[in-house]
């Protein structure tokens, strides 16, 4: 068994959230090591725009808010994303499939260039990898699993035992390894969780009519169906949340039958659905860690919380976690205090836990509101949507919060004040 010198920060998980944290701390002077259980060639993820196009579109995309764009800009990744592939969306149309209620958000009403950006997860990860791997104080190890995590010593240092037999003393370990986080489990942090009763189907589809740089979402009787615009005007990424039985039936359809079913569910808003890429399906569960931090430990992103994808906020919440934790660590370093102590890390927990719980409750409320088939509830929600669509101040307040232009944001996520 080989023991390495003490590392300041070990981030378990080289997804978007873990890499964002590493990128934000790249110039902090900390010795950072990132562990990724997937065995992939990091160099292949750094290929340019031409290579991205040759690979086709990643079925996993994120609707990144203006606040997330700002975090990625500070992290040194956004300019790289702009060199590859992304799609600004200018409007969002939401309507109730069981009534006439609808609401439209448009960037022109806010005097903004767009409401956000649809970016493939693979593109965001490549941009962050490019930033992290160029830093002398950051090291990435792939195909490596965390086997054991010690309790903290008096200085909150923990020892990690890896699948390679190596042991690493670290002043702080960050779990960024997803919803089924082994790191969180090894740290002894429990979860509150429950099943949404939905499975989500994701894929890329070609439509007869252009996507109009608009995010479309229809609330069906089984769950929300979203079309997210891609840079190719006739392509959209879809997220179809529905009951497990319906999802199973949809996955068993051939491509032609699936396109017809999708077109009907979407009420033909973009004409015929002419083609679908390979489909993927996954169950949806809400999870929330009972605590985010311990001495020498923090959990961020899906390792700390997962919510329903109906508003596309999951990755954005994770990026806000990364920004808040980076700020907390840097404040501790600047003040010369024990930045890895549970006492200090609780600042991060206080800043993010209430925000994440509030978003989770909001998504649960929306899901319950649109799941009911009671005629009175259907009438009330349709009336409410139509009324809100006419009340511009209320509507704009909601969309500004969704964009990350208002509310309680980490400092690194706040857009610079315009002159």
């Amino acid at each position: 068994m080989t023991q390495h010198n003490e590392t300041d920060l070990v981030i378990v998980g080289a997804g978007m959230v873990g890499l964002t944290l590493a990128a934000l701390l790249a110039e902090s002077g900390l010795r950072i090591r990132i562990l990724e259980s997937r065995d992939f060639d990091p160099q292949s993820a750094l290929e340019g725009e031409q290579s991205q196009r040759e690979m086709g579109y990643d079925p996993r995309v994120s609707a990144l808010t203006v606040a997330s764009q700002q975090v990625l800009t500070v992290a040194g990744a956004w300019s790289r994303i702009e060199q590859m592939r992304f799609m600004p969306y200018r409007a969002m149309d939401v309507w109730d499939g069981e009534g006439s209620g609808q609401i439209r958000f448009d960037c022109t009403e806010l005097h903004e260039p767009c409401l956000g950006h649809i970016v493939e997860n693979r593109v965001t990860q490549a941009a962050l990898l490019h930033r992290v791997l160029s830093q002398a104080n950051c090291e990435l190890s792939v195909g490596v699993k965390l086997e054991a995590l010690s309790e903290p010593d008096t200085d909150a240092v923990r020892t990690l035992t890896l699948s390679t037999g190596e042991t690493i003393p670290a002043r702080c370990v960050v779990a960024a390894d997803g919803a089924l986080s082994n790191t969180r489990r090894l740290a002894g942090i429990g979860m509150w969780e429950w099943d949404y009763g939905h499975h989500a189907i994701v894929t890329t589809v070609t439509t007869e009519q252009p996507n109009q740089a608009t995010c479309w979402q229809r609330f069906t009787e089984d769950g929300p169906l979203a079309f997210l615009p891609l840079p190719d005007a006739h392509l959209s990424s879809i997220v179809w949340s529905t009951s497990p039985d319906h999802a199973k039936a949809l996955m068993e359809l051939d491509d032609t039958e699936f396109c017809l079913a999708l077109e009907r569910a979407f009420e033909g808003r973009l004409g015929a659905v002419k083609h679908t890429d390979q489909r993927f399906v996954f169950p949806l569960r809400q999870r929330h860690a009972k605590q985010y931090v311990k001495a020498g430990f923090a959990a961020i992103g899906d390792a700390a919380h997962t919510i329903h994808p109906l508003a596309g906020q999951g990755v954005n919440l994770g990026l806000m976690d990364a920004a808040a934790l980076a700020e907390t660590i840097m404040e501790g370093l600047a003040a010369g205090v024990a930045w890895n102590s549970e006492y200090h890390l609780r600042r991060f927990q206080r800043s993010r836990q209430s925000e994440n719980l509030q978003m989770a409750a909001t998504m649960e409320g929306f899901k319950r509101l649109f799941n009911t088939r009671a005629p009175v509830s259907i009438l009330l929600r349709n009336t409410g949507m139509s009324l809100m669509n006419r009340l511009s101040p209320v509507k704009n307040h909601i969309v500004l919060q969704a964009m990350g232009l208002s509310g309680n944001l980490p400092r690194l996520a706040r857009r610079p004040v315009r002159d």
Side-chain angles (χ1 to χ4, degrees):
M1 185 173 291
T2 304
Q3 179 165 332
H4 274 216
N5 294 331
E6 182 181 305
T7 300
D8 291 311
L9 184 67
V10 173
I11 302 170
V12 185
M16 293 182 288
V17 174
L19 288 173
T20 296
L21 177 63
L24 291 172
L25 292 172
E27 298 178 6
S28 66
L30 295 175
R31 294 161 295 178
I32 301 171
R33 186 165 177 186
I34 307 157
L35 307 177
E36 175 53 58
S37 61
R38 293 176 300 123
D39 192 3
F40 70 96
D41 177 11
Q43 200 59 39
S44 67
L46 302 179
E47 301 297 335
E49 180 179 2
Q50 184 59 38
S51 177
Q52 292 289 344
R53 293 190 182 281
E54 289 172 358
M55 288 189 286
Y57 283 92
D58 187 347
R60 301 167 306 152
V61 305
S62 299
L64 297 179
T65 64
V66 174
S68 290
Q69 178 187 355
Q70 177 61 24
V71 169
L72 292 169
T73 298
V74 175
W78 188 257
S79 60
R80 187 74 177 178
I81 289 173
E82 291 180 315
Q83 294 171 22
M84 290 187 281
R85 191 163 61 186
F86 69 108
M87 180 62 187
Y89 60 94
R90 298 178 54 82
M92 183 182 301
D93 273 9
V94 181
W95 73 101
D96 192 337
E98 296 187 84
S100 59
Q102 61 181 15
I103 187 167
R104 177 178 174 86
F105 303 101
D106 196 301
C107 65
T108 57
E109 296 181 27
L110 303 168
H111 306 290
E112 293 285 340
C114 64
L115 297 180
H117 296 82
I118 304 299
V119 186
E120 297 158 77
N121 291 5
R122 183 175 64 211
V123 168
T124 304
Q125 184 181 31
L128 287 163
L129 275 172
H130 186 271
R131 166 66 170 161
V132 169
L133 295 181
S134 67
Q135 303 301 306
N137 63 320
C138 294
E139 178 185 354
L140 172 65
S141 301
V142 300
V144 176
K145 296 180 180 179
L146 177 63
E147 300 285 356
L149 181 65
S150 76
E151 289 297 309
D153 65 16
T154 54
D155 294 319
V157 172
R158 292 173 180 264
T159 299
L160 299 86
T161 304
L162 308 185
S163 56
T164 58
E166 181 184 359
T167 61
I168 310 171
R171 297 182 69 191
C172 188
V173 179
V174 175
D177 49 344
L180 302 179
S181 173
N182 181 53
T183 312
R184 183 196 63 230
R185 181 185 63 81
L186 290 172
I189 292 180
M191 298 287 284
W192 291 296
E193 61 180 298
W194 58 91
D195 198 322
Y196 276 121
H198 275 172
H199 283 192
I201 297 174
V202 297
T203 188
T204 302
V205 299
T206 305
T207 56
E208 180 182 13
Q209 297 174 15
N211 56 46
Q212 302 170 44
T214 297
C215 291
W216 311 81
Q217 184 157 322
R218 176 182 184 244
F219 284 93
T220 75
E221 61 184 28
D222 286 325
L225 166 61
F227 274 58
L228 308 175
L230 295 173
D232 188 320
H234 289 270
L235 294 184
S236 296
S237 179
I238 72 149
V239 182
W240 192 347
S241 302
T242 186
S243 67
D245 288 343
H246 189 212
K248 182 175 183 294
L250 289 170
M251 291 296 290
E252 291 173 349
L253 298 176
D254 64 30
D255 286 354
T256 300
E257 293 169 332
F258 177 77
C259 287
L260 287 172
L262 180 60
E263 182 184 329
R264 286 194 297 270
F266 195 55
E267 298 181 346
R269 286 287 176 109
L270 296 179
V273 178
K274 302 172 72 173
H275 175 77
T276 177
D277 286 356
Q278 182 180 358
R279 288 163 266 160
F280 300 87
V281 64
F282 52 91
L284 300 177
R285 292 182 66 83
Q286 179 164 312
R287 301 176 175 89
H288 208 105
K290 294 181 179 179
Q291 61 190 94
Y292 289 6
V293 302
K294 285 187 171 184
F297 177 86
I300 60 176
D302 284 356
H305 48 79
T306 60
I307 62 172
H308 199 286
L310 68 88
Q313 288 297 313
V315 169
N316 293 302
L317 293 179
L319 294 179
M320 295 307 104
D321 288 353
L325 181 55
E327 284 179 15
T328 300
I329 291 173
M330 288 188 289
E331 287 167 359
L333 289 170
V337 301
W339 59 269
N340 62 332
S341 69
E342 182 172 357
Y343 176 81
H344 185 74
L345 290 173
R346 280 179 183 167
R347 294 187 179 191
F348 156 69
Q349 178 170 290
R350 286 193 298 270
S351 70
R352 292 304 305 158
Q353 193 172 47
S354 60
E355 292 291 315
N356 293 330
L357 282 168
Q358 182 179 335
M359 181 61 74
T362 301
M363 293 305 99
E364 180 67 17
F366 268 113
K367 178 183 175 294
R368 290 178 183 273
L369 175 65
F370 284 93
N371 257 12
T372 181
R373 306 294 299 279
V376 173
S377 296
I378 293 173
L379 175 63
L380 288 174
R381 75 189 185 212
N382 276 271
T383 302
M385 288 179 73
S386 297
L387 178 62
M388 186 182 299
N389 196 45
R390 294 193 295 270
L391 295 174
S392 293
V394 176
K395 183 174 69 169
N396 291 344
H397 173 73
I398 291 172
V399 75
L400 283 171
Q401 283 201 311
M403 292 169 66
L405 290 175
S406 66
N408 185 21
L409 293 170
R411 176 177 47 80
L412 295 174
R414 298 171 195 163
R415 189 167 64 179
V417 178
R418 297 172 178 174
D419 295 331

